[in-house]
Amino acid sequence: MNHIAHAEIDRTPPKHDAAWTIGIAARPAQDAPVKGAREAIFVERETLCEEGARADHIYVIAQGAVMLSKLLPDGRRQIIELLGAGDVFGLSNTALYDSTAESLTAVRAFVYDRRFLETSRELQQAVSQRMTSQMCAMHDHAMLLGRKTAAERVASFLMGLIPHRGGHGCKGPDAKADTQHVAIPMTRQEIADYLGLTLETVSRAFSQLKKDGILTAPRHDEIVVTNVCRLCHLTGAV
Amino acid sequence: MNHIAHAEIDRTPPKHDAAWTIGIAARPAQDAPVKGAREAIFVERETLCEEGARADHIYVIAQGAVMLSKLLPDGRRQIIELLGAGDVFGLSNTALYDSTAESLTAVRAFVYDRRFLETSRELQQAVSQRMTSQMCAMHDHAMLLGRKTAAERVASFLMGLIPHRGGHGCKGPDAKADTQHVAIPMTRQEIADYLGLTLETVSRAFSQLKKDGILTAPRHDEIVVTNVCRLCHLTGAV
DNA sequence: CGCGGACTTGATCTGTCTCAAGTGCCGTGG
DNA sequence: CCACGGCACTTGAGACAGATCAAGTCCGCG
C-alpha cells in the first residue's frame, strides 16, 4: 500500500485550510529543502506512515500540521511530537518507523527515499539542522511530561501555539491588549494524549482558565487568549 | 571558565571505571568520528556544560556515561537523556545550551567548535546519524513519562540498561539462567528525576521487584536481575 | 428537528506524593 | 579495631492531584 499515491489522488478540499492561520500550522509554507523529493498532499486526519511499518521514506513538511504518536499494546497512546512546516519525520534507527504520523490539517510534504539521505549532503544538512530544533522541543516536552502539573501542561501547550511569545525572544505584550487568537486542530483526547493527561483533566484545565478570565472559546477548536502574559506565568517555566 | 581545561588537569582516578562494565557505560569506547576534535577527560559527577550557558561546543562521548537535565525555576528537575559512548550532546537551536550535562562515570569525550559542525560534512553525517537514534530513544521516553505506571517506568529503566534485550532484536533468555548483572551509577533521586517520579516511589518499586524475586541488590548501585524476561513483561511494552 | 460525537461537569477512587521515622552502609577519627 | 557521623536508602501513614466512572450539555450536521 502506498500512502503517497493514495493522498495524491484524494484531494478532498480540507475543511480548515483558512481557519488554522495561527497555531501549529501557522508557519509559512516552505520550499523543498533539496531536489529529489516527491511532493505529496494529504487531507486532514490521514495516516502518513505507521508505527512498525518499513521505514522507506523520510518526510519534510511544507505546509500544515502533523502529529507523531506511539501506542502501548494495551491501547494507551502518547502523542510524541507536534510538527509544522519545515519539520522532519520518518527517521528511524531501525528498519521500521518508531511512531505513527497523522495529519492534523491538510498537509503538503516532501518525500525522500531513505537511501537518498545517505547520499545527499544537502538533505543531511537540512535534516540535521531541523532535528536539532526538534530535539530541543522534545527536551522541553520531557520536562513537561515528567515534572509539570496538569494546569502547567495545558498552559505550556497553549503558549506553544502562540508564535514569538514565551521564549527567550519574547517581545512582551502589545501596548494595548495582550490578546492572541489560537486555532487548535486537535480534540481534547489528542491534547490529553500529548500532555500525558486524561481528556477530562484537560477539559477542567480549560474551564479553569476561562473562569480566571485568561481565555474565551468561541468554538471548541478555536480559543482567544485574552492575557498571554498571565497564561505564560502559569506554565511553570516563568 | 573552561570546563575542558579544568578536566584535563583534574585526573583524579575515578572510583568506578571497572565496575560499570554493564549498563549505560557498557558500550565499547569509540574513536573520534572526525578529525578536528579536542579530547577531554572528565571525572565522575562533573558538569560538562550548563543550561543557559553559551553553546560554543558540541560533544561526542568516547567512553562513559553522561546525563542531560533541565531545571524549572522552582527547582523541579527532569533528567532528559542518559547518554553513552557514541552519543552527542551540546546541540541547540539557540545560542545557549538547553540543558545541563553531567558525567555519571569517568568520561572521555571529543569536543568540537560549534562552527565546525557547519563546515564539516563528516561531522554532520556522524552527528545526524546518532541524533536519529537519540530521537527514537526520546520518543520511547516520552511514552514512558506520559503513559506508564511507576512500576513500568522502573522496569523499563532497568531493561534499558541490559544490552541486546527487550528490543526487536531480543535474543531471548539464555538456555540456563536468565540473569544479568547491571551497574547503576545513579542515585535513587537521579533515577526518580529521569523517570518523572519521587525517590520514595522508585525505592518502593525496587523493593517490590526484590519481593517478587526478579532481582537482588548486592549494593545500592549494583543489581542482579535474575529473571530478565519477567522484568521485560513488566515494562508495559511487552 | 433529531441524532451523534465531542465536550463539560460532578462524585468517587486510587496511585503517587508528601511527610516522617527508621535502617544500613561507608568513611573517618579516636 | 571499633565507635561515630553522615548520607543514601527504605518503610510507613496520611494527603492529594489526577484518573475513573457516570451523567448531562452543547453543537454541527443530515
Side-chain angles (χ1 to χ4, degrees):
Chain A
M1 183 195 59
N2 188 330
H3 293 300
I4 298 154
H6 169 252
E8 282 168 347
I9 292 162
D10 182 357
R11 285 172 185 273
T12 314
K15 286 183 207 155
H16 287 123
D17 237 7
W20 309 128
T21 49
I22 308 280
I24 312 160
R27 296 189 207 146
Q30 308 251 327
D31 287 334
V34 182
K35 304 291 170 205
R38 263 185 301 167
E39 187 173 317
I41 304 241
F42 303 91
V43 297
E44 289 181 66
R45 305 287 152 177
E46 198 170 345
T47 300
L48 318 201
C49 62
E50 206 140 8
E51 181 177 0
R54 278 194 47 193
D56 291 331
H57 301 101
I58 69 169
Y59 299 77
V60 180
I61 302 173
Q63 201 173 14
V66 169
M67 63 177 180
L68 302 187
S69 64
K70 285 170 76 85
L71 282 176
L72 251 24
D74 63 3
R76 281 174 285 175
R77 178 174 71 161
Q78 179 66 36
I79 293 174
I80 274 168
E81 291 189 75
L82 293 183
L83 305 176
D87 285 326
V88 175
F89 63 93
L91 293 158
S92 174
N93 58 342
T94 71
L96 309 177
Y97 291 123
D98 76 326
S99 52
T100 296
E102 189 179 344
S103 57
L104 290 170
T105 65
V107 163
R108 195 159 54 83
F110 304 110
V111 186
Y112 298 89
D113 278 358
R114 185 179 184 169
R115 297 190 160 186
F116 186 60
L117 181 63
E118 287 154 27
T119 60
S120 163
R121 171 176 188 173
E122 280 179 295
L123 185 59
Q124 276 168 17
Q125 193 155 3
V127 161
S128 79
Q129 200 160 15
R130 177 55 63 161
M131 239 198 321
T132 298
S133 212
Q134 288 175 229
M135 187 58 104
C136 289
M138 280 303 304
H139 287 177
D140 282 336
H141 202 57
M143 169 58 91
L144 179 149
L145 292 171
R147 290 298 179 216
K148 289 192 181 182
T149 66
E152 287 169 345
R153 293 180 200 208
V154 171
S156 302
F157 169 69
L158 291 174
M159 283 304 298
L161 300 181
I162 302 177
H164 313 306
R165 295 299 299 276
H168 289 290
C170 180
K171 61 182 162 89
D174 287 341
K176 344 166 186 183
D178 193 20
T179 292
Q180 182 69 251
H181 194 245
V182 180
I184 308 177
M186 298 168 74
T187 66
R188 294 287 182 272
Q189 181 63 65
E190 285 163 349
I191 298 169
D193 286 345
Y194 181 55
L195 300 178
L197 299 169
T198 61
L199 70 93
E200 292 95 331
T201 299
V202 171
S203 182
R204 281 184 243 270
F206 271 101
S207 298
Q208 187 61 47
L209 289 171
K210 282 179 214 158
K211 219 184 291 177
D212 295 346
I214 290 171
L215 59 81
T216 62
R219 293 161 43 101
H220 286 146
D221 54 2
E222 212 168 334
I223 66 164
V224 180
V225 180
T226 51
N227 194 328
V228 178
C229 272
R230 260 178 77 203
L231 181 64
C232 187
H233 287 297
L234 296 176
T235 62
V238 182
Chain B
M1 180 196 59
N2 188 331
H3 293 301
I4 299 153
H6 168 254
E8 281 169 347
I9 292 163
D10 182 356
R11 287 175 184 270
T12 314
K15 286 183 207 152
H16 286 125
D17 238 8
W20 309 128
T21 47
I22 308 281
I24 311 161
R27 297 189 207 146
Q30 307 252 326
D31 287 334
V34 183
K35 302 293 170 205
R38 262 184 302 167
E39 187 173 316
I41 304 243
F42 302 92
V43 297
E44 287 181 67
R45 305 287 152 178
E46 197 169 348
T47 300
L48 318 201
C49 63
E50 206 138 8
E51 180 178 1
R54 281 195 43 196
D56 292 330
H57 301 102
I58 69 170
Y59 299 77
V60 180
I61 302 174
Q63 199 172 14
V66 169
M67 63 177 179
L68 301 187
S69 65
K70 284 169 77 84
L71 280 176
L72 250 24
D74 64 3
R76 281 174 283 175
R77 179 172 72 161
Q78 179 66 36
I79 292 173
I80 275 168
E81 291 188 73
L82 293 184
L83 305 177
D87 286 326
V88 175
F89 64 93
L91 293 158
S92 174
N93 57 343
T94 71
L96 309 177
Y97 291 123
D98 76 325
S99 52
T100 296
E102 190 179 343
S103 57
L104 290 171
T105 65
V107 164
R108 194 159 54 84
F110 305 110
V111 185
Y112 298 90
D113 277 358
R114 186 178 185 173
R115 298 189 159 187
F116 186 60
L117 182 62
E118 286 153 27
T119 59
S120 164
R121 172 178 188 170
E122 279 179 296
L123 185 59
Q124 276 168 18
Q125 194 157 4
V127 161
S128 79
Q129 200 160 16
R130 178 54 65 159
M131 238 196 323
T132 298
S133 210
Q134 289 175 230
M135 187 59 101
C136 289
M138 280 303 303
H139 287 177
D140 282 337
H141 202 57
M143 169 59 92
L144 178 149
L145 292 171
R147 291 296 180 216
K148 290 192 180 181
T149 66
E152 287 169 346
R153 293 180 201 208
V154 171
S156 302
F157 169 70
L158 292 174
M159 283 304 298
L161 300 180
I162 301 177
H164 312 305
R165 295 298 299 276
H168 288 291
C170 180
K171 60 181 162 90
D174 287 342
K176 343 165 185 184
D178 193 19
T179 292
Q180 181 70 252
H181 194 244
V182 180
I184 308 177
M186 297 167 75
T187 66
R188 295 287 182 271
Q189 181 63 64
E190 286 162 349
I191 298 170
D193 286 345
Y194 181 56
L195 300 179
L197 300 169
T198 60
L199 71 93
E200 293 94 332
T201 300
V202 171
S203 182
R204 281 184 244 269
F206 272 100
S207 298
Q208 188 61 48
L209 290 171
K210 281 178 214 160
K211 218 184 291 177
D212 295 347
I214 291 172
L215 59 82
T216 62
R219 293 161 43 101
H220 287 146
D221 54 2
E222 212 168 334
I223 67 166
V224 180
V225 178
T226 50
N227 194 329
V228 178
C229 272
R230 260 178 78 204
L231 181 64
C232 188
H233 288 297
L234 296 176
T235 62
V238 182

